[in-house]
Amino acid sequence: MKEINPRGKLQPKTVKRIQLLFFAAALATSSLIVRLGYLQITEAQQFQSDVAVQNFSSLPIPGSRGWIFDREGDVLAADVPVYQILYIRYPNDSYSAPKVARELAPVLGMKAKTLENMMLNQNQMQPTVTLVNQATPREMAFIAEHRDNLPGVLMMTVPQRVYPLGELGAHEIGFIGPIPASEWNQYQAQGYPKDALVGLSGLEQSYQSVLRGQYGEEKIPVSPAGIPLNQGIVSVPAKAGNNLVLNLDGPLQKVAEQALVQRINFLRGVGETNVHSGTIVVLNVHTGAVLAMASYPTYNPEWWIGGISNQHYQQYLTNNAGFNRAISGLYMPGSTEKMLTAMAALIHHEMTPNLQVLDRGGLQIGTYFMHNWNLGGFGWVGLKEAIEVSDDTYFYQVGLNMGHFNTNNPPSNISAWLTGGRVQALNQINDLGKKFGLTSLTGVDLPGEMPGYVTYANPPTLYDLPAAAIGQEEAYSTIGLATYIAAIANGGYRYQPQLVHEVTTSQGKVVKIYKPHLVDKVPVPENYLKIIQQSLELATHGTLGTATYYFGNDKVNVAGKTGTAESGNPGRNNSVFVGYAPYNHPEIAVAAVIPNVTGEGFRAAAPMAQQVIDAYFAKPDHPLTNPSSKFTTKNMKKHG
Amino acid sequence: MESIIKRNIKDLDYPLIMVMILISIYSVIAIYTATYGKIDPNIPSHIIVRQMVWEVLSYIAMFAMMFMDYHTLSKYRWWIFGISIFLLVAVFAFSRVNGAHSWIHLPGGGSIQPSEFAKLTFIIWTADYMAKMNEKEFPDYTLKGLLPIFIAFIVPFMLILKEPALGQALVLLVIMFAMLLVYVKRRHMQILIAIAAVVVITFGSAVAVYPNQTIKMLEHQHIMPHYQTMRLISFIDPTFSPTGSGYQVLEAEIAVGSGSVFGEGLLKGSQTNGSWVPFQWTDFIFSAIAEQLGFVGSSVLIMLFLVMLYRMVKVAMTSLDDFGAYLIAGSVGMFAFQIFENIGMNLVISPATGITLPFISYGGSSLIVNFLSIGIVLSVSLRRRTLRFD
């Protein structure tokens, strides 16, 4: 038996102290239970809603952009769904990326290190990173099968822009791309996310607010490991943007573009190596509807999808292919100016419709002799003949008349005239030009239109007024020229050129129709306009008409005027044609320009205008070709 | 020896053993559900198998300790204490894990955490010193007599602080405090409590009123490393760095709160099973229990701990001698502080310090040490009766 410890028991002090220790421990433990009760019973609801919020991964889903149709309903721009492969970054998950990268890299044809770097470092401020923009079926199948091993990897359907007809109408349709840094603030104010794609050119730009889709949201319940939980996905559906139905006539646009390219290639083929660009605009004379608008060189809007390649970008920059020359390019109008000169002189009573001028091949102004293009001269000519043969001498005289300059008895104070009568005459041309949309903006619904202008030469000269009278001192846009000739054709009504006919919802419901917008009625009396119209008909059908060579035997009776202007390069001229058809009941107006040709206008612009006019009237449903179809419902609807 | 066990086996504290088994069941369930199906590479492979192996080893260690006379510890106290100090130094020869030299890596993939052992060896050495002092003819209860205790404390304390493992160092401090509380004379006890109160109140109010200045000072004077001050900031304001140092605390709090009264059910915790709480199988294991089992399940666990402490204290009060009482007092202080601190940081009433929840958190060293402590308690309980009348 073991010896009993003499003390045997603890001191009372020790027992008390141990009790004290336990008391403190029990107090601390009880406080835990109180706190636990507070969190789990009083505050439970708050925390449960915290869980609800954070266990959803929210992804913005871009809404598809509105489509663009031509007047026949052919698709010019559309959004098609593509599958993107995304990677979601979670704040407390830095370890799954290398694993996922190793698993996924071979399928995507990438190096694991490159992919991992992309997953972790690309767009670091964004919660997700796009790994693949257009997933192939193989990639999609792989991800679907291995989703458990690919935490954070997600497939998402996103709309992508396509332009089914490629280059057709490229300048009018425009293209989309990331928001330029300089415009970010203003897009942000409209609720665009940083990575949104917006219209950067053409209708895509000018109708951005109509076309834009509304972002939806996909709330995916996931664990941080990327594994979706049992609850369902909460989707706020994205809303598609509205569609545009254009006045543009796809087939006619195609003819115009091809005619332009063929003409340019032809000219280059015969040695005109400076020719590299041109424009054609076709308007409905009664509505201002833009039926075709071609500008060369051009590009393919699809180049921008998913970021433009360097090669395409170089191609885009070459010859300024993105520049819509039809609205932004300004060209000297040459003889197509003469109708405006005549009208300005007539309405200001500086000439009568019966004015006769003796053309001996030119006009002596002070020390300058200004040549007619026909150095032999046409003898006595009246207004109609002057336009028919494009007599320069006649219009030199008209110009001088407007400035009250008598060549036989020049004003004694020449410098006073230069700032007085001369400027007054130029103003008259300029002001009437504004009414016709030549020296003002036509208001076409495209971005980047440039207004034409009249040059007030500085220092002023004796001869710049007569030069202005034959279109050597002005620069107009092709759309301005088209608006001008359309107003001459329709009796003086200037309509705003309009590409978009109507806006429809994604279901096809019409929400807005752009009715023809009459900008003004030009202040030219009807009888004067009639004379101009008759003159234009003579220019295309008269025995000496400058365009009779092309239009003399035409079926539809085109009225029009050629123009040639010295473009500034010696021996290089702008070739211009403006016209409309049919002469009696005009339907379409055409303006065409090819700069930097060496010959007279008919060699360049007129033939391609003719091709477009022929194509328009050759359409199977056109009443001139097929009278029975005149009142088909289709026509009534399309032409409003 | 044999005979004593045979005679006294009825005195064994069976309720304590029952409580320990229940707590172990909690541990296995919590670790299993907190790691189930997760791909976090920080989770040791086959964690649940490892934990169960450690549980078995711990129970073997506990019963071995129980059958061994705890007075044997007194005999080898210098050896035990010396080896533990050696291991605390040896730790610096091994690579850091999670930023601290806290582990000695063993060949074969295992590792031991010397700071865990240091806590127990400090208890053993100090209990023996105190008991021996009481038996002296002229016991020295003056400060001079306490000096060896301070020295035995300061050496492992500084080594642990150097790892750095602030939490473990604080546990050691609390152990000394608890043991002194039981041992010192009345006057010293009053001073001790006063000092503790002043330190806690001063520090608490400094942090509460001038949080930024205090934290800067602590960091500047190298009293706390940066990560620890960040934890302190995040305790004061968890939203200060919601994805950084505050993340774990915020997520754990949400887990606890969303557990509500009855919990979301095992493996159905959206926080726990969605792996929103990092390192949930160690420091934040309580949030897993609280979310899945709710207030009912988690307060039962706290009650089990309270019963455990009560049984320990009961054994201590009926101990045969002072040595047994002091041993248990040290363990009670150790467990009570760790339980309060760990659960407290899950409930955001105390800052995160890297202290594990005894018997529940994953980790072999702490399990072994904790069960050895219980083994000592059982050993004391087996030997408390001095007389039997058969």
Side-chain angles (χ1 to χ4, degrees):
Chain A
M1 199 167 176
K2 197 178 187 291
E3 192 195 338
I4 296 167
N5 187 328
R7 288 173 177 270
K9 265 190 170 174
L10 302 178
Q11 308 164 28
K13 176 197 94 179
T14 310
V15 174
K16 263 190 177 168
R17 298 281 178 85
I18 290 176
Q19 283 169 337
L20 179 69
L21 188 63
F22 177 71
F23 176 72
L27 203 66
T29 315
S30 323
S31 74
L32 290 179
I33 294 184
V34 171
R35 172 71 180 173
L36 192 63
Y38 170 74
L39 287 180
Q40 294 199 305
I41 298 168
T42 318
E43 295 283 289
Q45 243 177 343
Q46 173 60 39
F47 288 113
Q48 278 165 347
S49 68
D50 280 357
V51 170
V53 170
Q54 74 162 4
N55 280 359
F56 281 100
S57 175
S58 179
L59 281 176
I61 309 290
S64 78
R65 207 174 159 79
W67 292 27
I68 301 178
F69 302 94
D70 82 344
R71 65 190 294 120
E72 305 294 342
D74 288 334
V75 179
L76 300 175
D79 261 19
V80 294
V82 297
Y83 290 93
Q84 277 188 344
I85 300 175
L86 303 180
Y87 179 68
I88 307 174
R89 302 183 177 115
Y90 290 98
N92 65 333
D93 178 13
S94 56
Y95 45 80
S96 60
K99 237 186 100 207
V100 170
R102 269 199 306 279
E103 182 107 19
L104 202 55
V107 184
L108 304 185
M110 286 166 119
K111 278 206 176 114
K113 266 271 160 268
T114 320
L115 184 62
E116 185 189 333
N117 191 43
M118 198 173 164
M119 286 159 66
L120 295 177
N121 301 324
Q122 199 175 17
N123 306 329
Q124 254 176 341
M125 299 315 288
Q126 309 282 339
T128 60
V129 57
T130 308
L131 301 179
V132 176
N133 251 322
Q134 267 177 289
T136 63
R138 184 168 159 264
E139 290 163 351
M140 280 154 61
F142 179 85
I143 288 168
E145 270 170 46
H146 297 81
R147 61 184 301 166
D148 287 351
N149 295 334
L150 297 169
V153 176
L154 201 78
M155 280 187 292
M156 189 166 79
T157 320
V158 293
Q160 184 159 75
R161 205 63 165 162
V162 290
Y163 301 97
L165 299 180
E167 294 185 356
L168 189 86
H171 288 111
E172 290 66 65
I173 296 164
F175 56 85
I176 61 170
I179 297 172
S182 57
E183 289 162 41
W184 165 235
N185 284 340
Q186 113 204 33
Y187 277 107
Q188 190 186 27
Q190 296 169 50
Y192 284 85
K194 195 123 200 171
D195 56 353
L197 297 176
V198 296
L200 297 179
S201 163
L203 295 169
E204 295 273 33
Q205 182 185 352
S206 53
Y207 287 87
Q208 167 64 28
S209 60
V210 175
L211 292 166
R212 85 179 272 203
Q214 297 291 324
Y215 271 77
E217 191 185 26
E218 192 111 324
K219 292 166 90 188
I220 305 160
V222 285
S223 74
I227 301 157
L229 300 179
N230 294 332
Q231 302 99 310
I233 289 172
V234 182
S235 285
V236 181
K239 263 178 69 186
N242 285 336
N243 300 330
L244 301 179
V245 179
L246 305 190
N247 286 317
L248 201 76
D249 181 330
L252 191 68
Q253 173 76 14
K254 191 162 186 175
V255 171
E257 289 181 9
Q258 282 175 349
L260 187 57
V261 176
Q262 280 166 10
R263 198 68 198 147
I264 291 168
N265 287 341
F266 168 78
L267 292 168
R268 290 178 70 85
V270 297
E272 302 242 4
T273 49
N274 287 311
V275 175
H276 53 72
S277 61
T279 61
I280 301 177
V281 171
V282 184
L283 297 181
N284 178 321
V285 295
H286 297 299
T287 62
V290 179
L291 301 177
M293 181 185 281
S295 169
Y296 186 87
T298 187
Y299 63 91
N300 190 332
E302 297 230 321
W303 290 350
W304 272 264
I305 304 303
I308 189 163
S309 71
N310 193 40
Q311 183 206 339
H312 281 147
Y313 193 58
Q314 289 309 320
Q315 218 171 322
Y316 177 74
L317 292 180
T318 307
N319 296 323
N320 205 0
F323 188 62
N324 187 352
R325 289 171 167 78
I327 59 165
S328 310
L330 298 179
Y331 302 104
M332 273 191 250
S335 300
T336 58
E337 173 75 9
K338 286 170 182 166
M339 294 81 85
L340 186 74
T341 307
M343 288 186 286
L346 286 167
I347 63 172
H348 290 103
H349 309 291
E350 307 294 358
M351 69 176 278
T352 71
N354 304 318
L355 175 71
Q356 297 273 321
V357 171
L358 179 60
D359 171 23
R360 291 201 178 103
L363 197 67
Q364 186 73 37
I365 307 163
T367 54
Y368 303 102
F369 184 77
M370 300 192 71
H371 287 285
N372 185 16
W373 67 270
N374 179 351
L375 298 176
F378 287 102
W380 284 100
V381 287
L383 175 56
K384 287 186 191 173
E385 296 85 10
I387 291 177
E388 177 189 347
V389 302
S390 200
D391 193 313
D392 294 335
T393 312
Y394 185 92
F395 285 96
Y396 294 149
Q397 189 59 58
V398 172
L400 293 174
N401 286 357
M402 290 170 79
H404 301 160
F405 186 100
N406 188 337
T407 46
N408 299 322
N409 180 20
S412 49
N413 187 346
I414 289 292
S415 55
W417 178 81
L418 287 174
T419 55
R422 169 184 157 276
V423 170
Q424 191 197 328
L426 289 171
N427 282 346
Q428 284 171 359
I429 292 171
N430 196 4
D431 290 348
L432 191 62
K434 280 198 169 70
K435 294 288 179 188
F436 277 99
L438 289 169
T439 51
S440 57
L441 290 173
T442 64
V444 65
D445 49 343
L446 284 175
E449 187 193 358
M450 294 294 290
Y453 56 86
V454 176
T455 307
Y456 292 69
N458 189 19
T461 61
L462 278 179
Y463 56 82
D464 65 351
L465 175 59
I470 64 157
Q472 304 292 341
E473 296 291 323
E474 293 86 352
Y476 301 142
S477 66
T478 315
I479 188 80
L481 287 168
T483 308
Y484 159 64
I485 194 67
I488 291 174
N490 68 21
Y493 298 94
R494 176 189 154 202
Y495 288 97
Q496 179 207 307
Q498 180 70 29
L499 269 153
V500 176
H501 177 251
E502 61 190 28
V503 175
T504 64
T505 64
S506 53
Q507 278 80 38
K509 206 179 124 221
V510 176
V511 288
K512 179 168 185 179
I513 292 181
Y514 290 91
K515 295 209 179 80
H517 175 50
L518 182 65
V519 179
D520 61 34
K521 167 88 172 69
V522 295
V524 181
E526 208 166 318
N527 56 325
Y528 292 159
L529 278 171
K530 201 85 206 156
I531 294 167
I532 301 293
Q533 289 165 2
Q534 287 162 356
S535 315
L536 291 173
E537 203 267 343
L538 283 170
T540 49
H541 295 89
T543 25
L544 294 174
T546 46
T548 302
Y549 176 82
Y550 284 104
F551 298 102
N553 297 315
D554 59 352
K555 275 188 291 186
V556 291
N557 203 3
V558 178
K561 181 82 195 79
T562 57
T564 308
E566 291 162 6
S567 63
N569 292 332
R572 304 275 177 256
N573 304 321
N574 284 338
S575 174
V576 184
F577 176 83
V578 296
Y580 62 90
Y583 167 65
N584 289 318
H585 301 285
E587 284 185 30
I588 58 166
V590 182
V593 179
I594 290 190
N596 297 348
V597 294
T598 40
E600 285 295 328
F602 62 84
R603 288 192 54 192
M608 62 187 193
Q610 184 192 24
Q611 266 178 279
V612 174
I613 293 168
D614 286 352
Y616 176 82
F617 290 103
K619 286 187 101 175
D621 62 341
H622 194 276
L624 282 185
T625 320
N626 183 4
S628 66
S629 71
K630 185 166 185 176
F631 296 110
T632 59
T633 48
K634 189 176 182 185
N635 260 355
M636 304 224 346
K637 190 173 149 252
K638 290 293 174 192
H639 296 271
Chain B
M1 183 91 182
E2 252 333 274
S3 61
I4 289 176
I5 292 166
K6 248 183 205 162
R7 272 190 299 125
N8 293 0
I9 200 79
K10 278 189 204 148
D11 294 329
L12 188 61
D13 200 309
Y14 290 105
L16 182 56
I17 297 176
M18 286 310 298
V19 166
M20 293 327 295
I21 290 171
L22 290 175
I23 289 176
S24 294
I25 291 170
Y26 261 95
S27 171
V28 171
I29 291 173
I31 290 172
Y32 179 71
T33 56
T35 56
Y36 178 78
K38 293 186 186 176
I39 53 148
D40 190 335
N42 290 310
I43 300 177
S45 56
H46 309 294
I47 182 168
I48 192 66
V49 177
R50 280 171 186 246
Q51 178 71 2
M52 279 156 84
V53 168
W54 280 118
E55 291 276 359
V56 169
L57 291 176
S58 297
Y59 274 87
I60 292 170
M62 178 180 82
F63 286 118
M65 189 67 235
M66 180 183 94
F67 288 120
M68 194 173 86
D69 190 340
Y70 62 94
H71 294 102
T72 320
L73 297 171
S74 161
K75 220 166 47 200
Y76 295 108
R77 67 185 193 279
W78 279 110
W79 278 105
I80 295 168
F81 190 71
I83 289 170
S84 122
I85 296 294
F86 171 77
L87 290 178
L88 281 178
V89 174
V91 139
F92 293 96
F94 293 87
S95 60
R96 289 165 185 261
V97 175
N98 297 330
H101 292 288
S102 293
W103 285 269
I104 290 179
H105 307 294
L106 302 177
S111 59
I112 59 170
Q113 197 180 351
S115 54
E116 286 290 345
F117 291 94
K119 293 186 290 191
L120 186 56
T121 55
F122 174 72
I123 291 173
I124 293 166
W125 189 92
T126 311
D128 180 75
Y129 177 85
M130 289 171 170
K132 290 240 164 69
M133 184 62 80
N134 285 343
E135 282 170 24
K136 279 189 179 162
E137 207 166 337
F138 303 105
D140 181 4
Y141 294 122
T142 64
L143 280 177
K144 198 180 147 214
L146 295 177
L147 195 62
I149 298 177
F150 293 135
I151 293 168
F153 161 77
I154 205 76
V155 173
F157 179 80
M158 292 311 287
L159 285 169
I160 292 171
L161 212 52
K162 190 92 188 120
E163 287 182 3
L166 180 74
Q168 296 284 36
L170 280 179
V171 175
L172 201 65
L173 182 67
V174 172
I175 290 169
M176 181 179 71
F177 179 82
M179 293 179 80
L180 286 176
L181 199 67
V182 178
Y183 167 73
V184 294
K185 57 182 184 181
R186 191 176 172 79
R187 184 101 195 98
H188 284 161
M189 185 194 77
Q190 287 164 342
I191 294 170
L192 205 59
I193 291 174
I195 290 173
V198 166
V199 167
V200 169
I201 291 167
T202 312
F203 185 77
S205 49
V207 167
V209 183
Y210 304 105
N212 297 338
Q213 290 88 330
T214 311
I215 283 154
K216 248 190 215 143
M217 193 272 285
L218 288 172
E219 209 172 310
H220 235 79
Q221 303 296 319
H222 300 287
I223 296 172
M224 276 188 191
H226 179 68
Y227 79 92
Q228 189 57 54
T229 54
M230 288 307 288
R231 283 171 164 183
L232 199 55
I233 293 170
S234 293
F235 166 64
I236 299 162
D237 177 13
T239 57
F240 172 79
S241 173
T243 57
S245 56
Y247 180 78
Q248 208 174 13
V249 176
L250 275 177
E251 297 298 337
E253 191 187 15
I254 292 173
V256 171
S258 58
S260 195
V261 180
F262 297 106
E264 297 180 6
L266 293 175
L267 295 178
K268 286 180 190 153
S270 48
Q271 287 290 103
T272 299
N273 303 111
S275 45
W276 288 92
V277 188
F279 289 95
Q280 207 181 9
W281 58 95
T282 60
D283 294 7
F284 284 86
I285 190 79
F286 186 78
S287 67
I289 296 169
E291 185 183 26
Q292 298 180 92
L293 299 177
F295 178 73
V296 174
S298 44
S299 57
V300 163
L301 177 64
I302 297 175
M303 295 308 291
L304 283 175
F305 278 129
L306 193 57
V307 171
M308 177 190 87
L309 292 174
Y310 174 73
R311 297 310 308 181
M312 288 171 75
V313 166
K314 199 130 198 238
V315 171
M317 288 193 300
T318 55
S319 165
L320 184 69
D321 51 22
D322 289 342
F323 180 53
Y326 292 141
L327 279 176
I328 297 175
S331 296
V332 167
M334 172 172 81
F335 289 142
F337 179 68
Q338 284 194 223
I339 290 163
F340 175 77
E341 172 56 27
N342 179 280
I343 297 182
M345 75 194 192
N346 278 270
L347 305 181
V348 202
I349 50 173
S350 57
T353 41
I355 290 174
T356 56
L357 186 57
F359 306 105
I360 304 285
S361 291
Y362 173 78
S365 299
S366 67
L367 260 191
I368 295 277
V369 168
N370 292 335
F371 275 101
L372 276 174
S373 303
I374 298 297
I376 291 170
V377 176
L378 293 175
S379 177
V380 173
S381 80
L382 208 54
R383 291 164 183 83
R384 53 189 156 174
R385 285 284 183 90
T386 54
L387 273 173
R388 285 192 77 89
F389 304 97
D390 297 292

